[in-house]
Amino acid sequence: MLVSVIMSVFNTNELWLRKAIESILDQTVKDFEFIIVLDCPTDNSTAVVYEYANRDRRIWILENSENLGLTKSLNRGLEVAQGKYIARMDADDISLPTRFEKQVDYLERNE
């Protein structure tokens, strides 16, 4: 596994969440796992995340039993990450398609 992408989700606008997930799934680098930590959202975020997970086997879902906040949720993702590199993603951000390609290339050339 080359890259582990970690994202925590708590009550995110559905359109933004969909765009964030799709921007990761559309990366030119395909060797990644996408760890999404559901931090007890009370909106439709859980359904959206499971919808994508059912379509793409690279998505792994962790569900917090209580709201832990961003830092602790991300640390849960780090505990299970298997990638050589860790990429952080926010649930309301968009990554350009070559993000991982450029970052991995840089890191590989500058160990």
Side-chain angles (χ1 to χ4, degrees), residues 64-77:
N64 293 342
S65 58
E66 63 181 331
N67 183 270
L68 298 177
L70 181 62
T71 304
K72 288 181 180 178
S73 294
L74 294 174
N75 283 336
R76 281 200 69 212

Side-chain angles (χ1 to χ4, degrees), residues 84-85 106-111:
K84 179 177 180 181
Y85 300 111
Y106 178 84
L107 291 169
E108 292 286 318
R109 288 186 292 110
N110 297 281
E111 290 185 19

Side-chain angles (χ1 to χ4, degrees), residues 1 3 5 24-25 27 29-34 58 100:
M1 183 72 47
V3 179
V5 185
I24 295 300
L25 298 179
Q27 290 295 302
V29 169
K30 302 297 183 191
D31 184 17
F32 65 84
E33 62 181 351
F34 192 1
R58 295 173 293 181
F100 298 161

